[in-house]
Amino acid sequence: ELKTSFFRCQNSKNKDITIMHEAIKAIAGFQNASGGHLLVGVNDEGDVLGLKNIDEFKDNDTYSQRIEQHIGKCLGQTSLSKLIIRFVEVNKELLCHIEVKTSLPTFCKDRAYNKKTKKPEDDSLFYLRQNNMTVVLNAEETINYIAKVNS
């Protein structure tokens, strides 16, 4: 999965909870499937943009800590043990590579996003990666999926 930014809207250049939720959604979907990779600093067309010009980047440690804090709030602290955050240089631009390992079941409770979208703040969603997209499953689909995977 390619993301231009983990934190900022590229049009307004401001921190955007919707952009942050898209990254969280992808991570949750990977954790509920067979894992995956999130690459931040690359747009959907595959153009390498880098972190320094696009996102709220100061240094590797600060950036990874901010990502971990947000993931911990939305997916729970145990989700962090199933992630490896690395920084790689491509075409002289710094990118963030998040390797996501399976951690079923992972539920997303993104209170800030729920508030912005006028959903109950405690709503938990079950995201699943299917081919090249992440989908949300309803309660019945979630129960059936988890039962199928665990059988």
Side-chain angles (χ1 to χ4, degrees):
E1 179 72 18
L2 305 175
K3 296 289 178 199
T4 302
S5 170
F6 197 97
F7 298 103
R8 288 184 185 229
C9 171
Q10 295 313 294
N11 294 331
S12 70
K13 304 297 182 204
N14 294 324
K15 185 175 176 182
D16 187 321
I17 198 65
T18 304
I19 299 296
M20 294 164 66
H21 184 76
E22 286 301 312
I24 292 295
K25 176 180 164 180
I27 291 167
F30 284 139
Q31 287 190 329
N32 287 322
S34 56
H37 300 269
L38 184 68
L39 196 56
V40 183
V42 180
N43 67 17
D44 289 337
E45 291 75 37
D47 300 323
V48 175
L49 305 173
L51 298 173
K52 294 179 181 176
N53 301 321
I54 301 298
D55 224 337
E56 297 176 4
F57 183 85
K58 292 179 184 164
D59 58 63
N60 295 7
D61 287 341
T62 304
Y63 192 78
S64 62
Q65 285 171 1
R66 290 186 60 237
I67 287 174
E68 289 172 353
Q69 287 171 349
H70 192 66
I71 292 169
K73 281 194 294 190
C74 297
L75 303 181
Q77 293 298 314
T78 56
S79 286
L80 296 174
S81 68
K82 299 296 184 176
L83 301 177
I84 299 172
I85 299 174
R86 299 181 185 101
F87 293 89
V88 295
E89 193 172 299
V90 176
N91 299 336
K92 298 183 181 180
E93 293 291 346
L94 189 64
L95 306 179
C96 181
H97 171 231
I98 303 173
E99 181 180 348
V100 183
K101 298 178 192 265
T102 301
S103 182
L104 180 71
T106 298
F107 291 90
C108 178
K109 189 183 294 187
D110 189 341
R111 294 177 189 273
Y113 178 77
N114 289 348
K115 186 175 181 178
K116 180 178 180 174
T117 57
K118 300 189 180 348
K119 296 178 184 162
E121 282 188 44
D122 282 345
D123 260 8
S124 290
L125 298 173
F126 187 87
Y127 290 112
L128 181 64
R129 186 69 177 191
Q130 295 181 329
N131 299 314
N132 64 344
M133 61 187 213
T134 304
V135 297
V136 64
L137 301 186
N138 65 33
E140 181 181 358
E141 292 168 327
T142 300
I143 290 167
N144 290 339
Y145 176 76
I146 293 170
K148 181 180 173 185
V149 169
N150 288 332
S151 63

